Amino acid sequence: MAVGELSEKRPTRYEIEDVEAADRRSRWRFRILFAVVWLGLIIGLAVGLALTGRIDPAFILEVGPFILDGTPTTLLICFSSILLACVLATLGALGRLSGNPVLNAIASFYVSLLRGTPLVVQILFWYLALPQFGVVLDALPAGIGALAFNYGAYMTEIFRAGVEAVPRGQQEAARALGMRESEVMRRIVFPQALRIVTPAIGNEFIAMIKDSALVYLLGVREVLWRADVMGTRFFRSTETLLIAAVVYWILTIVLSFFQERLERRMARGDR
Amino acid sequence: MRTSGIEKYFGRNHVLRGIDLEVRRREAVMVIGRSGSGKTTLLRCINFLEEPTSGWVEVDGLRVEADPLHARSRRHREQIRQIRLRAGMLFQEFNLFPHMSVVQNLIEAPTRVRGLPRDAALELAERYLEKVGLLDKRNEYPARLSGGQKQRAAIARALCMEPKVLLFDEPTSALDPELIGEVLNVMEDLAHEGVTMIVVTHEMHFAREAADRVVFMEDGVILEQGPPEQVLNDPHREETRNFLRRFLQT
């Protein structure tokens, strides 16, 4: 073995195996301490809250299931909104990359308008103002539409940057092989752009989970709405908001975990 | 293959000042010259990756006039595409498609552009992979290849389109010194087999071995051309002599 030969020829002060073992030990020490601190902080937070005497565990157990039942609705909102947002962002990015001034202006206007106004205003507008123009939507589709259009605007810019990040030489090589412009885009540029933007889409999705709480304003029976209803009914908003916060937090942790794995898999792939 | 009166401006910058170049079938032409002399631009103008400002390019009987004002017209674009089918291009940075395996890289254009059935394209791909010595890498992704292997795969990819002429744009400039040889060997074999090629290169030794003709460019014009022994050993022009002297010193 090369390593063995090396250490035979040039004796060092330490055996290579010992150095490796020390490295491993220090990595493990880091991990363990890291986990201990996390656990400590969580327990500390829980104990701290309990010591205030304002938290009633029995009440939490009582209203917990009702609030948790909002999770599927929250996830439904997020998944449908992000899907629709991806479609909108694809169209938007095509517009922003287009040489056609009309399409480009429309896409640019869309991005500017929806990024330039508060999400809350947009959500209320979809539900409360659109009916004035004859478009009456239920709370759930109105909320999904508002989130999707808003995120679609942000993701338009992400998708556009993704396409622009594909090295120029890729297009040139494809063209030099005689491919038509549409083939160059479809077969060479977009597949690579998709890989580039996947981590960013993951981030948007995680952000969406938290922003989806805003549709409680429309009375959609998702996590925050249920927490608010219970909190107001029993005048115990501390507990119900805590439950809601924990639900969102856990959802984002789970999703971050999947996102990290996806990213690692794509990094291992082919670049 | 012929070009006539190729001019290229980048903005106000006059990069090519009237290039007339004729390359006969089975001829290997090496283009040398300082960086900034317009060698690469000339190559890119031949297959219209840059639209020349004026002049025309003719490959295998198809002549396309430079038409910078109507570069976006459908007819002109289709003509350019036909030129590109006749003139394969190799890049300094290889530009393999990273999301496709080697063999997918090779069959993508033959199946989509030439309309070959998949089986025929695969057969073609294997033939050329064998020629460049990469048959065992057919299912690898480009990221797992060395630079030399990438450039050889890119050569096989270009050959799969069975072009009339291959354009090499400094194909070994991005390679580690120890990997240059394997690429030059493949190119030399192609030259000896009679593949028509134009090579922009700084590898003088290679030019001497493989070229039928060496072209020296400076400031956007062809200053001197001729057989490699003559241009490289006994150049007529002072500028060529200066270039070669400075080049061999460094």
Side-chain angles (χ1 to χ4, degrees):
Chain A
M1 209 182 86
V3 173
E5 282 166 21
L6 196 70
S7 63
E8 266 173 32
K9 274 187 210 148
R10 292 180 48 196
T12 50
R13 225 138 68 78
Y14 303 103
E15 290 299 322
I16 290 190
E17 288 75 14
D18 292 344
V19 177
E20 279 174 355
D23 274 354
R24 261 198 310 277
R25 270 199 304 278
S26 84
R27 269 199 302 276
W28 270 109
R29 217 179 49 160
F30 181 90
R31 277 181 211 160
I32 289 167
L33 268 173
F34 187 89
V36 165
V37 171
W38 253 83
L39 207 65
L41 285 171
I42 288 176
I43 292 170
L45 194 61
V47 170
L49 281 167
L51 285 179
T52 58
R54 306 253 172 209
I55 308 289
D56 178 359
F59 179 70
I60 286 182
L61 289 177
E62 197 183 319
V63 298
F66 178 78
I67 296 174
L68 278 175
D69 277 350
T71 317
T73 311
T74 291
L75 287 174
L76 172 74
I77 295 167
C78 292
F79 276 105
S80 12
S81 303
I82 207 86
L83 274 178
L84 192 53
C86 282
V87 175
L88 289 165
T90 306
L91 295 175
L94 284 174
R96 291 294 280 137
L97 292 161
S98 160
N100 180 326
V102 177
L103 296 181
N104 205 319
I106 293 173
S108 156
F109 177 79
Y110 162 63
V111 171
S112 172
L113 179 67
L114 285 154
R115 288 206 307 188
T117 50
L119 178 55
V120 193
V121 175
Q122 291 171 28
I123 288 172
L124 292 174
F125 194 91
W126 274 71
Y127 191 57
L128 301 175
L130 279 190
Q132 307 288 323
F133 308 107
V135 185
V136 184
L137 292 172
D138 280 344
L140 185 64
I144 290 173
L147 284 168
F149 269 77
N150 182 270
Y151 272 64
Y154 285 95
M155 286 164 67
T156 290
E157 291 302 300
I158 293 175
F159 282 21
R160 175 167 83 131
V163 168
E164 281 169 353
V166 176
R168 186 116 200 106
Q170 290 288 315
Q171 292 187 36
E172 292 190 341
R175 282 196 200 115
L177 287 166
M179 292 170 82
R180 292 183 183 83
E181 285 309 303
S182 58
E183 292 169 326
V184 174
M185 282 294 151
R186 226 182 38 243
R187 299 285 307 168
I188 306 303
V189 177
F190 289 159
Q192 294 185 57
L194 191 64
R195 274 151 213 256
I196 295 171
V197 301
T198 300
I201 297 178
N203 289 339
E204 291 298 299
F205 192 73
I206 287 164
M208 172 82 84
I209 290 187
K210 292 166 287 163
D211 280 349
S212 74
L214 285 170
V215 303
Y216 97 100
L217 287 168
L218 311 184
V220 179
R221 302 179 169 219
E222 46 73 74
V223 173
L224 182 58
W225 180 85
R226 286 161 180 266
D228 187 54
V229 166
M230 283 298 144
T232 337
R233 182 179 305 165
F234 298 104
F235 300 105
R236 302 216 66 123
S237 288
T238 317
E239 284 95 337
T240 62
L241 286 176
L242 265 176
I243 296 170
V246 168
V247 171
Y248 287 113
W249 193 14
I250 289 173
L251 285 180
T252 57
I253 288 173
V254 171
L255 272 157
S256 306
F257 172 77
F258 282 118
Q259 187 203 13
E260 217 168 281
R261 278 198 13 179
L262 183 69
E263 260 176 61
R264 221 176 304 152
R265 231 181 62 188
M266 303 218 350
R268 191 150 34 106
D270 45 31
R271 224 159 234 286
Chain B
M1 195 227 76
R2 284 204 289 166
T3 73
S4 175
I6 294 285
E7 305 259 346
K8 176 69 187 176
Y9 284 85
F10 284 120
R12 292 264 161 125
N13 191 4
H14 203 173
V15 182
L16 294 179
R17 302 159 181 263
I19 302 279
D20 302 316
L21 180 68
E22 183 171 348
V23 178
R24 288 181 300 279
R25 204 172 295 260
R26 304 175 68 79
E27 196 179 18
V29 172
M30 312 278 156
V31 184
I32 60 170
R34 246 179 265 298
S35 47
S37 60
K39 313 179 297 281
T40 291
T41 308
L42 170 63
L43 220 53
R44 291 169 60 84
C45 281
I46 290 174
N47 75 353
F48 286 82
L49 282 179
E50 304 287 352
E51 178 90 23
T53 314
S54 66
W56 51 257
V57 175
E58 182 180 311
V59 183
D60 195 39
L62 174 72
R63 180 184 295 195
V64 178
E65 297 266 350
D67 195 357
L69 293 184
H70 301 95
R72 287 176 152 269
S73 85
R74 190 162 299 225
R75 204 183 98 79
H76 188 61
R77 282 210 304 224
E78 184 52 31
Q79 284 208 316
I80 288 175
R81 217 171 63 79
Q82 293 301 328
I83 284 278
R84 288 174 182 160
L85 290 177
R86 290 165 161 79
M89 178 110 176
L90 279 305
F91 300 87
Q92 197 174 333
E93 302 290 343
F94 334 123
N95 293 338
L96 290 177
F97 306 133
H99 58 302
M100 298 180 181
S101 69
V102 168
V103 76
Q104 284 169 335
N105 261 279
L106 266 65
I107 65 170
E108 176 70 16
T111 52
R112 285 190 186 263
V113 180
R114 290 176 68 196
L116 285 185
R118 209 181 136 79
D119 292 348
L122 278 172
E123 208 172 293
L124 204 60
E126 285 182 2
R127 188 160 90 227
Y128 287 120
L129 277 179
E130 184 154 27
K131 179 175 236 134
V132 302
L134 286 177
L135 201 49
D136 56 324
K137 302 284 181 193
R138 61 195 304 262
N139 294 322
E140 292 286 5
Y141 279 84
R144 315 238 338 191
L145 303 183
S146 72
Q149 291 169 335
K150 281 183 196 165
Q151 192 60 292
R152 285 188 284 147
I155 292 172
R157 179 173 73 176
L159 288 171
C160 279
M161 294 302 283
E162 312 204 296
K164 302 293 177 188
V165 51
L166 280 181
L167 312 172
F168 290 87
D169 182 15
E170 305 196 22
T172 57
S173 296
L175 294 177
D176 291 336
E178 78 270 20
L179 300 176
I180 290 176
E182 61 188 67
V183 173
L184 293 184
N185 283 341
V186 168
M187 290 170 62
E188 207 173 324
D189 286 348
L190 293 174
H192 290 317
E193 281 168 33
V195 173
T196 314
M197 56 170 79
I198 306 177
V199 186
V200 168
T201 186
H202 292 297
E203 302 290 332
M204 295 305 157
H205 183 72
F206 168 69
R208 202 184 300 266
E209 294 293 315
D212 296 309
R213 180 160 36 121
V214 172
V215 170
F216 174 69
M217 279 183 71
E218 187 153 288
D219 292 335
V221 290
I222 294 178
L223 272 188
E224 175 163 11
Q225 52 181 316
E229 310 81 51
Q230 183 255 307
V231 176
L232 297 176
N233 296 345
D234 182 25
H236 297 318
R237 304 281 303 229
E238 185 64 33
E239 293 89 341
T240 318
R241 222 166 296 150
N242 281 338
F243 166 74
L244 289 171
R245 193 179 323 120
R246 214 171 305 168
F247 197 86
L248 294 176
Q249 272 170 9
T250 52

